[in-house]
Amino acid sequence: MKIILFGATGDVGSATLREAVSRGHHITAVARDTSRLGTLPSGVDALSLDLLGKPDAAADAAAGHDLVISALRPAAGHEGDLVPLTRAALNVAASAGIPALITGGAALLKLADGSGHTVLSAPDFLPDAVRPIAQACADQDALLEQDTAATWTCLRPPAMLLPGPRTGHYEYGTDTLVTDAEGQSQITYADFAVAMLDLAEAPQIARRRLTAAWTAPAPAMQPG
């Protein structure tokens, strides 16, 4: 496949790039500062682009690709950019006539305790420091609900995204946090990327929201 990847230098984006390359896909890796990508393997083209500043250039760049993947996450203090960034990625996909895989957030996933609370609404569940990005992710969900132009799938992470190994094991869920036997909801960036690329290689179903996490105990963590 030919995939255009927005947010290629972030934690999710860089893991997605590595996983896609390992599967033999051709990637156009888009970021505002592509120098952070380092040395690129064969099959990866870097494109330095401000998606909000040059949406027409992004649409032109997507021509000839099979799929948009958005791994966009704004920096702290700019959480409000998530909605316009997602809207821009959806517009690129719609303009190119190709599906989009959107990295969402866990904000509106229900807790697995049956309380009916979501990650965002549950008392004392979220530290204050991450509430701004959680609210932005809830707003992103609302944007997706309104969008009818693009064929999108949204993959939402579990409660915790961690550095660590690629095990290749995970389970999908829908509107509730996926947890392991100890009640933990977590996955590494590497395994989240596996779940993302498995979706990329599957037939696309429009307007689908999923989440992915481990259901087995976490492996022993190693640095990196």
Side-chain angles (χ1 to χ4, degrees), residues 129-221:
V130 301
R131 292 194 71 84
I133 189 60
Q135 183 59 59
C137 289
D139 295 340
Q140 180 191 44
D141 260 343
L143 169 69
L144 290 171
E145 186 64 30
Q146 297 164 7
D147 182 85
T148 57
T151 300
W152 56 263
T153 298
C154 179
L155 184 62
R156 299 183 282 190
M160 295 182 66
L161 269 171
L162 311 167
R166 178 193 188 281
T167 70
H169 299 293
Y170 67 89
E171 295 289 341
Y172 287 124
T174 52
D175 62 354
T176 301
L177 288 173
V178 175
T179 59
D180 62 22
E182 298 177 350
Q184 297 297 309
S185 178
Q186 58 187 357
I187 199 171
T188 55
Y189 293 106
D191 277 342
F192 189 75
V194 173
M196 183 71 81
L197 265 295
D198 285 349
L199 283 176
E201 294 173 348
Q204 296 302 304
I205 299 174
R207 300 172 63 81
R208 177 170 59 163
R209 291 182 180 88
L210 297 171
T211 184
W214 290 328
T215 55
M221 292 294 179

Side-chain angles (χ1 to χ4, degrees), residues 5 13 21 25 41-42 60 66 79 96 105 107-108 112 116 125 184 192 195 201:
L5 171 62
V21 168
H25 300 301
S42 175
D60 291 342
D66 302 303
E79 290 87 355
L108 297 187
F125 189 85
Q184 297 297 309
F192 189 75
E201 294 173 348

